[in-house]
Amino acid sequence: MIRSLLKLGAMLVVGILIYNYLFGTADEKAQSKEVFQKTGAAVSSAWNLLKSERQKFDAGKYDKALDQLGGAYREIRDRAEYVDEKVLRRLDDLERRKAALEGELESIEKADATPAPAPAPAKKGVKAPAPATQTSKETDQQRKKENLMRELDNLMNDTDQLLKQAQQ
């Protein structure tokens, strides 16, 4: 229900902007033109942000972070004689989460490297299924990367807490 209201509101705003741009007074036309320009700038900067994150991902940004976490975990284990048993259990949990994130990262990288399969030719008299669009694969990959980034941030925060606890 709320989603429908938001869509209706957005359609109404767009409709008013287009109407004012085409048929409005000089002030309304200028205002609509300004809104369109600002919207274009916002979309452009969001697109540049996504491209930047993609380049960082391809450059191994997440690999480096996971490697640093591994180093921190090894350091805690090396000093295990000074650490509480509870800390060691939490460390085991963090290492399992790190391994899961590494596996997810590998699957994302494999999916990025794999080209989309070509659709099979349709048999005579049989309607061919609608082809999956490339954008849906890219959207799915982007969603996976965002989830990976969130999980990595959570893991980093939990690791910081563990390090602080281990130092006490």
Side-chain angles (χ1 to χ4, degrees), residues 1-151:
M1 169 102 177
I2 293 174
R3 184 180 294 171
S4 298
L5 289 175
L6 290 175
K7 286 181 184 178
L8 181 63
M11 298 274 294
L12 183 63
V13 168
V14 169
I16 290 171
L17 284 172
I18 291 173
Y19 178 81
N20 286 345
Y21 186 78
L22 297 175
F23 304 112
T25 64
D27 289 340
E28 292 172 339
K29 287 182 180 183
Q31 187 179 23
S32 294
K33 186 176 183 179
E34 182 181 349
V35 169
F36 286 134
Q37 288 173 345
K38 288 182 179 179
T39 302
V43 168
S44 174
S45 63
W47 181 253
N48 289 336
L49 174 69
L50 288 174
K51 288 191 326 189
S52 169
E53 280 301 311
R54 167 71 184 218
Q55 290 171 348
K56 290 177 186 176
F57 186 83
D58 290 342
K61 171 184 173 182
Y62 304 107
D63 292 333
K64 292 175 187 173
L66 290 170
D67 289 342
Q68 289 174 347
L69 283 175
Y73 298 158
R74 281 190 296 280
E75 186 175 328
I76 292 173
R77 287 231 183 260
D78 291 344
R79 299 178 185 188
E81 61 192 63
Y82 306 111
V83 179
D84 184 14
E85 183 67 29
K86 204 180 340 176
V87 172
L88 290 175
R89 276 188 257 125
R90 284 188 59 205
L91 180 61
D92 290 337
D93 179 51
L94 291 175
E95 286 178 332
R96 281 192 294 278
R97 287 172 53 193
K98 177 184 166 279
L101 287 177
E102 286 174 337
E104 189 176 333
L105 177 63
E106 287 177 22
S107 70
I108 290 171
E109 288 174 345
K110 284 180 185 176
D112 279 344
T114 306
K123 294 181 181 178
K124 189 173 184 179
V126 176
K127 185 176 179 181
T133 62
Q134 184 69 13
T135 56
S136 66
K137 178 185 176 191
E138 291 171 358
T139 303
D140 187 45
Q141 284 296 97
Q142 186 62 33
R143 189 176 337 105
K144 287 180 180 178
K145 289 175 186 178
E146 289 170 359
N147 286 337
L148 178 69
M149 182 63 134
R150 265 193 304 276
E151 289 296 321

